[in-house]
Amino acid sequence: LKFENERPAVAVLAKNVSGNMSDALQHQQHQPIALSPHLADSASLDNVFCERDGVDSQYLITPTYYVCNGFSNQILGHAAFIAHSIKSSKVGSSHDELKIPNAFIVNGVQSKESVGSRARGELENVFANGENSIPLSDIVDTNHLLAMVRERGVDACLVPYEDAIATTTKRASNECPWLSQLKQSDDGIILDVLDAFTPSSSLTKVVSKLFDTLKASLDSSGLKLSEGVCLHHRNGPDWKHHCNIWKGNNCLERDDRSITGLVSNRIPASYPKKWVYYIGDEDPTDSLNSEFETIGLQLYHREKHQLLDYDLLRFASIDHDTMPSVEQHRDLFAAIDFFACSNISSFIGNSVSTFSAYQIALRRGKNASWYNSRSIPLMADFLKVHCVPLVYTYTELSQSNGKSLLVGSILSARRVFGLTVEIHLLYHESFNDADFLSWLNGVNVIVHKHEPRWLDAIEKLRVHGDAKRSHLYSHHGNYIGTWQRIDIPLFIDAEYAVLLDADTIIHEQFTIADFGLDITRGIAFSSETNELEKVPLNAGVALLNVPRLRETYTDFVQFIKTHADNNANFIMGPSDQGAYLDFYAGLQEHDEPSTFYKNIKRRGSQVNYLDATFNFKPYYTSMKTFRNRKVTHFHGLKPHDLVGVLNGRPERDFPPALRFLVRKIRDNKRASFVCNSLRDFSLVMVEDLNNLESYCKYSTPLEQVPGCVKEYKMLSNMTDESCLKHQLVVSVPRPPSVSFCYSEEGSLHHIALDMIQHSSRPGSPSYEKLKHVLNLNQQFYIDLGSPIFHRNGVSISTMLQGYGLKQTVGRPSSHIMTTTLVETKLTDSVCRISEDECHDYPRMLIQIDHEKLGNEHELCHSSPNCIIVDSSIHNLAMAAEKGWTQSFVLLPVMIQSAHRLESQELKLEPLQTRSHSIVYLDRIEDTPKALLWTNNTNQHPETFHLSEMRLRDMANVYGNTKVCVVSRSYYTSSVGGEYKHMSELAQFGCIPVFETFSDSIGTSSFEQCGRVIFASEEELLKRATDVVGVINHGLINDFTHVDWWKKGVNWGQLLLQFIV
C-alpha cells in the first residue's frame, strides 16, 4: 500500500498492513455497479410472473403501482413502492402480493404542461403505453430484483408487459405519486432496493462493449480509467423550461458560469482528472470539446466518439427491425449512460435532476459533486441518504493528547455512522508514526499525505500572537494543526464536507438534508461562547463548500501570507478562524467588526450560520440544543479540564484564556450537560483502553493514571437520569481570594462588562444600535416611573453622564427630539412609544421585569432610535426567540445598584454571636419552615414577614442574622433570579444563600468573592442550615466579602470602556 496521485474513493478494510509510512496509506478504489446478474440462481427463479386469478385468460393483472416519466423517475418510483412493501412486511401490516409492472418507458420526456387548477405550471406525467415502452426485464435484471425483494419477506412477482401497459389506461388519475411514496418509505431500504436495480444480461453486454471501446480509446491516449470523471450536464430546452418553472435556489450553472470552469473547481489538485465522460441533453459541440481541453480534460461522448454498438443494442433491447434513436428512445440511452457512469470513479452532476440525484444516492455521496452547487432537493425532503464526508487534520508535531482526542472522535464517527460515511485525514508527517497510521487504516480512514507550503508564514503569525487571546499560540505543532484545514480543497472530492476538530464527539447521524435547502455558498460556522448569538464565529465544526474553497484557494492563501508579512491581526479573531471569517465575509484591512455583521446578512453571503446542534458545547444551557445535538465540541476546556471543574478544581489552576469558561460552567449550574458530554466522550474512549491510558498520562500526574482511567470508565456508565442529578462540587464559603476578587477581573464592574459583552459584542447589531442611540443627542431625561427605582436611576444617570451626556431636569417638550428619554413601562412618558408620532423618538427603555416582554418592547425593537436595557439573560433568550436581540443590551442597572437599605447601614456584628440563624426573604411554606427551625438546634428565631416591615426594622433583622435566604418569586427554574437582593443584603454581612436561577453571568464571582451560595429550591433550607453550623463553629469570622460588594460598579466608566 502506498501514496498514489489518484483520488481515493470508497474505503475498504486493509489487511496485513506493514509499519512504514508508504504502506499505511491506501489508495481506495471505486466500487462499480455490477454489469452482470448477482445471484447465481436468479436465472432459474420460480414464479417470476404473477398468476392470473380465475380461468379467464383475458383477465388483466393490475400492478400494485404505476411508474411514470424518465429513466430515473421510473427506477426511483419502483424503489419507493417496493421499499414501502418491505417496510410494511417487517411490521406485519401487509401480506398482499407485490405486483411489479414489467414496463419501461423508453421516452418519458415531459413536454406538455398540465391543465387544471392544481397544475400551477407543472408538466404532464408520461405513463407506459404500447408505443413508448418495452419490458422492464429488457433493461433490468428483474430476477435479481425479485430475489432480493423475496429475501426481505415480500411475496413479489412481475406483471406481464401486456397487462402492465393495458391496465395503465384504466388508472384512477394522472397523478404519479412516487415522490410522496418515497417520503413515506425507509431511506435505508430504498437504497438497498436501488442497489438491486442492476442491468439485464442483454444490457450488460451493451454497456460492457461501450466500456471496452472507451478503455481502448483511453489506452491509445495514455490515459487511465481511474483518471476519469462522469459529467451529467442538463442543458436542453426542456430542462431550461423546467428551471423557469421551478422555484428553488439552484437549477442551471451557478452564476451563469461556463460548465468547464465549474467542473475544474470540482477536481482536487492532489488527485487530478484527465478525461470526462460527458452525458448531456445535447451532443457536445466542438467548441465545448476545446474548452475542456484547455482545462486538461479530454472529452468522451457516447455518440460523438462512437462508443456505442447500435447493432448490439438493437438486438438486445428493442424490436430487431428498429434502429434506436435518442429522439424516440431517450430513456433507453439514459439507462446505458447511467450504468456506464456508475463504473467511473468520480461523478459531477446537476443535483436538481433526479438522474444525478439517483447517481449520487447510489454512491452514498462518495466521490460525487454537482456543478449547480447548493442543495439536492430529492435528498433534502425525500431520500435522506447523502452522508457528507467528515474531514480531520493532524500533524505529528501536535501535543500527544491531540492524537488521543482525534482517535476518540474518529471512533465516535464509526460508532454512529458505521462505514456509511467517508472519513478523511490530512496527515502531516514528521517522524513516521507507523502504529498510528496502521490504526487509521484499520478503521477505514482515508489518509492524505499533507506537506503544507505555507509553514513559514504561519509561524510568523504564531510568534507574534497573543497567548492570552488564544491558547493555540503557545504550541508550534498545535498551531500548524489548526491551519491544515485551509488545504482541504486540495484533497477532498466532494461538494460539501464537514470539518471536525479533534476535540469533538459525534452523537447522532446526519445527512446533507440536515443542513437544509439553503445550504451555504462558502462556509458555515456556529456560535462561539454565546449560544444565543446565532452568528457564525466558531470553526471547530464547519460545513465547507469545497468547490468554492478550491476556486478561492490561491487568493485565500495570499491573504493569509499578507497578514503574516505585515504582522497584522485578523479582525474577527485569531488564527485560521479569523482568517476564514475576514476573507469570506469580504473584510478589508481597516474594517470594523460591524462590517462583518452587515456583510453576512447580505443576499448571497459566503459566510453562514451552522445550527448549534452541530457544535454543542458542554457549557451551553439550552435543553433543546442539548437534546438535538449532533456533535459535541470540547471547546477550550478539554474533557480532563471538565472533570476538574466538576470536582471543584480552583479557577486559578486553569490557563488565563480559559478561566471565563470555567466561570461560565459554574455560573450556569448545568452540571448535567457537562456530565452528559463527558459520558459521550468516555463511551468511545473505553473502546480503546490503550488510547484512554495515553490520554490520562497526558492530562494527569503519572501516579493518578489508574484513577483517571477508572473515572472515565465510571462516566461511561452514567445515564441521562444520573447526570441530571449530578451537582458541581461546592465547598463551604471560604474567604474571598484577594488576588482575584480585588483585581479588575474579579470585580462587580467586570461582571457588568461581561454582561454587555455577552449581549452586544463590538460590531454586533445591538452594539451598533446602542452606539447609535447614545450618539443621537447630547442630553437625556430620566424618569423610571416609581420612587422604588430612585437608586437605579442614579446609577443609570451616572453611567450616561460618564459617557458625556448631560442630564436635563425639566420635562422636555414632546415636539422636539433633542433629548433622549430614559424610562420604564411605568413611566408617564412625555411622548409614548405607542403613539405614531413618538415611535422614533430617541429613548432607552429600561426593563424592570423577568419573563415579561410586552408590546412596548416590540415597538422599541421596531424603532431605529430605541434600545432596550435589560438585566436578565433569560429575557435576552426570549428576545432571541422573537428576533429582537439587535435591540437588547444587558447592563446590571436593575440588579447591582445600591438599594433602599443603603441609609440603614449598621455596625457589623460577628456572625457567630448574632441572635438569628436565618432570615428568609420571599415565600416560605409552613412545612419547610418548621423543618428549618427543627434542624437548627438551640436556635429558635422568630418568623419575619419582611415585606410588611419598616426599613429600619428590616435593617435590624439583617444585621442580626447569620444567613440570609432568598428564593426567587417565580415558579420555574428557567427564569432569572432575584439578583437585586444581593447588593441589598451584602452590606449587613450575613451569608447569602440564593435559590439557583438560569441567569448565569457573574455567579462564579458572586460565589468566590461575595460568598453567595446557590442551591436548588429543594436543597435551599438544608444548605442554609449547613452554613449556620459552619458559622457556629467559628469557621467564618471575617467580612471581606462586604468590602467586595461595596466596591460595586464604576458606572461612570462603564460605557466609555466598552464603546469605541
Side-chain angles (χ1 to χ4, degrees), residues 45 48 56 90 106 282 414 579 613 615 678 696 746 756 809 845 856 864 874 933 947 996 1018 1038 1040:
L45 198 68
V48 171
D56 187 356
K90 279 186 174 182
V106 296
E282 299 172 339
R414 285 289 174 240
T613 55
N615 197 337
L678 286 172
C696 284
I756 192 169
V809 179
L845 181 61
E856 66 275 9
H874 175 73
W933 303 152
S947 61
T996 303
E1018 296 80 8
D1038 67 278
T1040 50

Side-chain angles (χ1 to χ4, degrees), residues 685-856:
M685 294 299 282
V686 297
E687 292 181 14
D688 187 336
L689 291 178
N690 289 333
N691 183 58
L692 175 56
E693 186 172 330
S694 296
Y695 183 74
C696 284
K697 285 179 179 177
Y698 165 80
S699 59
T700 58
L702 192 60
E703 67 274 10
Q704 297 178 17
V705 169
C708 171
V709 172
K710 184 178 179 180
E711 184 156 25
Y712 285 114
K713 286 182 178 179
M714 179 273 294
L715 284 164
S716 71
N717 292 318
M718 296 288 280
T719 63
D720 286 348
E721 184 178 351
S722 58
C723 273
L724 283 171
K725 295 178 181 177
H726 198 93
Q727 295 293 321
L728 292 171
V729 174
V730 180
S731 58
V732 170
R734 294 171 294 181
S737 166
V738 174
S739 60
F740 173 72
C741 297
Y742 293 94
S743 68
E744 180 182 349
E745 185 181 4
S747 66
L748 281 167
H749 184 76
H750 195 274
I751 293 174
L753 289 171
D754 282 348
M755 290 182 72
I756 192 169
Q757 175 76 22
H758 181 83
S759 66
S760 312
R761 179 192 299 269
S764 67
S766 63
Y767 174 92
E768 293 299 326
K769 191 171 187 182
L770 171 64
K771 189 175 178 180
H772 167 73
V773 172
L774 289 172
N775 294 337
L776 280 172
N777 294 315
Q778 296 181 348
Q779 60 185 9
F780 66 94
Y781 174 74
I782 185 168
D783 178 4
L784 301 185
S786 172
I788 64 172
F789 300 127
H790 168 69
R791 292 302 308 171
N792 307 96
V794 172
S795 299
I796 296 169
S797 177
T798 303
M799 178 178 69
L800 295 178
Q801 289 182 71
Y803 186 72
L805 303 183
K806 180 181 179 182
Q807 181 176 359
T808 179
V809 179
R811 189 175 173 88
S813 167
S814 60
H815 302 297
I816 59 173
M817 293 182 64
T818 58
T819 302
T820 299
L821 300 180
V822 182
E823 56 192 28
T824 72
K825 67 178 184 180
L826 302 180
T827 303
D828 181 17
S829 178
V830 66
C831 194
R832 294 186 180 278
I833 195 170
S834 57
E835 299 172 6
D836 290 344
E837 62 273 20
C838 298
H839 179 260
D840 292 342
Y841 205 107
R843 78 183 73 224
M844 300 179 73
L845 181 61
I846 310 298
Q847 168 70 343
I848 59 175
D849 295 314
H850 285 301
E851 211 169 19
K852 294 179 181 178
L853 298 184
N855 183 56
E856 66 275 9

Side-chain angles (χ1 to χ4, degrees), residues 399-676:
Q399 290 175 302
S400 57
N401 76 319
K403 183 169 74 172
S404 298
L405 289 170
L406 176 61
V407 167
S409 187
I410 292 172
L411 286 175
S412 74
R414 285 289 174 240
R415 182 186 181 96
V416 170
F417 285 99
L419 295 176
T420 61
V421 69
E422 279 190 337
I423 301 178
H424 297 260
L425 177 64
L426 272 62
Y427 194 106
H428 177 233
E429 182 186 8
S430 176
F431 53 83
N432 187 19
D433 189 346
D435 290 339
F436 186 38
L437 289 165
S438 177
W439 182 90
L440 291 167
N441 195 66
V443 292
N444 291 32
V445 173
I446 301 171
V447 179
H448 305 272
K449 186 177 181 180
H450 186 207
E451 298 176 349
R453 299 179 179 178
W454 33 254
L455 291 177
D456 290 344
I458 295 308
E459 182 62 10
K460 288 181 185 178
L461 291 172
R462 188 189 74 83
V463 169
H464 293 102
D466 182 0
K468 292 181 179 179
R469 193 180 183 206
S470 173
H471 62 282
L472 292 171
Y473 290 123
S474 61
H475 193 278
H476 171 68
N478 290 353
Y479 199 64
I480 292 174
T482 195
W483 281 98
Q484 284 182 268
R485 64 193 64 195
I486 68 176
D487 282 351
I488 286 175
L490 303 180
F491 297 94
I492 305 304
D493 182 5
E495 191 69 21
Y496 287 94
V498 172
L499 167 69
L500 294 163
D501 276 356
D503 57 351
T504 55
I505 294 293
I506 298 178
H507 182 261
E508 188 176 283
Q509 278 198 20
F510 53 86
T511 70
I512 199 168
D514 292 292
F515 300 107
L517 286 170
D518 196 22
I519 196 165
T520 183
R521 295 173 181 266
I523 57 175
F525 291 177
S526 193
S527 308
E528 184 86 349
T529 57
N530 181 4
E531 62 190 303
L532 298 178
E533 186 183 33
K534 295 186 177 181
V535 178
L537 293 172
N538 183 264
V541 181
L543 179 65
L544 308 177
N545 184 318
V546 180
R548 179 57 181 161
L549 268 58
R550 188 173 293 129
E551 179 184 352
T552 55
Y553 174 79
T554 301
D555 290 342
F556 184 39
V557 172
Q558 184 57 51
F559 176 79
I560 296 166
K561 288 181 177 180
T562 299
H563 277 71
D565 292 339
N566 296 336
N567 192 21
N569 289 324
F570 298 107
I571 297 166
M572 293 308 298
S575 306
D576 61 297
Q577 188 167 283
Y580 271 116
L581 294 174
D582 286 11
F583 180 80
Y584 287 100
L587 300 188
Q588 303 299 316
E589 183 178 355
H590 299 295
D591 281 341
E592 295 292 328
S594 58
T595 306
F596 170 80
Y597 289 91
K598 292 175 185 176
N599 288 359
I600 63 174
K601 288 185 176 181
R602 291 176 179 170
R603 184 180 179 88
S605 169
Q606 295 184 76
V607 180
N608 302 98
Y609 178 70
L610 180 65
D611 191 84
T613 55
F614 288 95
N615 197 337
F616 174 79
K617 302 174 184 71
Y619 52 78
Y620 278 2
T621 60
S622 166
M623 181 62 73
K624 181 180 179 182
T625 305
F626 168 73
R627 286 175 175 166
N628 296 316
R629 69 193 185 283
K630 301 287 194 302
V631 182
T632 297
H633 179 201
F634 293 94
H635 173 242
L637 296 170
K638 304 311 172 207
H640 63 279
D641 296 319
L642 294 176
V643 170
V645 174
L646 285 182
N647 292 333
R649 181 182 167 194
E651 181 182 319
R652 61 179 174 272
D653 290 352
F654 293 88
L658 301 179
R659 288 174 188 169
F660 79 103
L661 293 178
V662 177
R663 291 198 298 274
K664 196 173 181 71
I665 291 173
R666 288 178 174 157
D667 286 350
N668 66 43
K669 296 296 185 293
R670 295 314 278 266
S672 61
F673 289 179
V674 176
C675 174
N676 273 285

Side-chain angles (χ1 to χ4, degrees), residues 252-392:
L252 297 170
E253 286 85 329
R254 182 172 66 84
D255 302 329
D256 295 323
R257 296 180 56 199
S258 70
I259 188 64
T260 51
L262 295 171
V263 168
S264 177
N265 290 332
R266 280 155 181 81
I267 299 175
S270 296
Y271 307 104
K273 298 298 182 182
K274 297 182 179 179
W275 62 271
V276 58
Y277 182 82
Y278 182 86
I279 305 170
D281 297 333
E282 299 172 339
D283 290 354
T285 62
D286 291 339
S287 62
L288 182 63
N289 190 73
S290 298
E291 288 179 32
F292 273 108
E293 288 179 354
T294 61
I295 62 170
L297 289 175
Q298 189 166 327
L299 185 146
Y300 289 90
H301 181 257
R302 168 184 26 85
E303 187 70 26
K304 191 177 185 69
H305 294 86
Q306 300 178 354
L307 302 177
L308 185 62
D309 187 328
Y310 274 85
D311 288 331
L312 186 60
L313 176 61
R314 177 159 57 94
F315 283 99
S317 301
I318 59 176
D319 187 340
H320 295 180
D321 296 328
T322 304
M323 182 61 72
S325 67
V326 173
E327 291 75 17
Q328 298 299 317
H329 308 93
R330 189 193 72 163
D331 291 294
L332 172 61
F333 289 93
I336 295 168
D337 281 334
F338 186 88
F339 290 123
C341 184
S342 300
N343 286 272
I344 299 173
S345 62
S346 294
F347 174 76
I348 301 172
N350 184 307
S351 65
V352 178
S353 161
T354 53
F355 180 101
S356 288
Y358 175 18
Q359 183 71 227
I360 294 167
L362 276 185
R363 294 168 179 264
R364 275 58 168 181
K366 298 171 183 176
N367 310 335
S369 55
W370 43 101
Y371 63 79
N372 53 318
S373 200
R374 312 301 297 284
S375 64
I376 309 178
L378 185 70
M379 294 187 187
D381 292 325
F382 304 98
L383 187 58
K384 300 177 181 180
V385 297
H386 183 296
C387 291
V388 183
L390 309 179
V391 187
Y392 298 91

Side-chain angles (χ1 to χ4, degrees), residues 104-108 126-134 161 165 328:
F104 177 79
I105 304 169
V106 296
N107 189 7
V126 177
F127 292 90
N129 57 50
E131 296 179 353
N132 70 359
S133 65
I134 59 176
Y161 171 70
I165 61 173
Q328 298 299 317

Side-chain angles (χ1 to χ4, degrees), residues 217-247:
S217 182
L218 294 174
D219 290 343
S220 66
S221 300
L223 302 175
K224 298 178 182 178
L225 194 60
S226 60
E227 295 172 334
V229 58
C230 178
L231 170 64
H232 180 225
H233 184 204
R234 293 306 312 265
N235 60 340
D238 67 315
W239 181 253
K240 292 177 180 178
H241 178 64
H242 166 75
C243 291
N244 289 333
I245 298 172
W246 193 60
K247 304 298 182 184

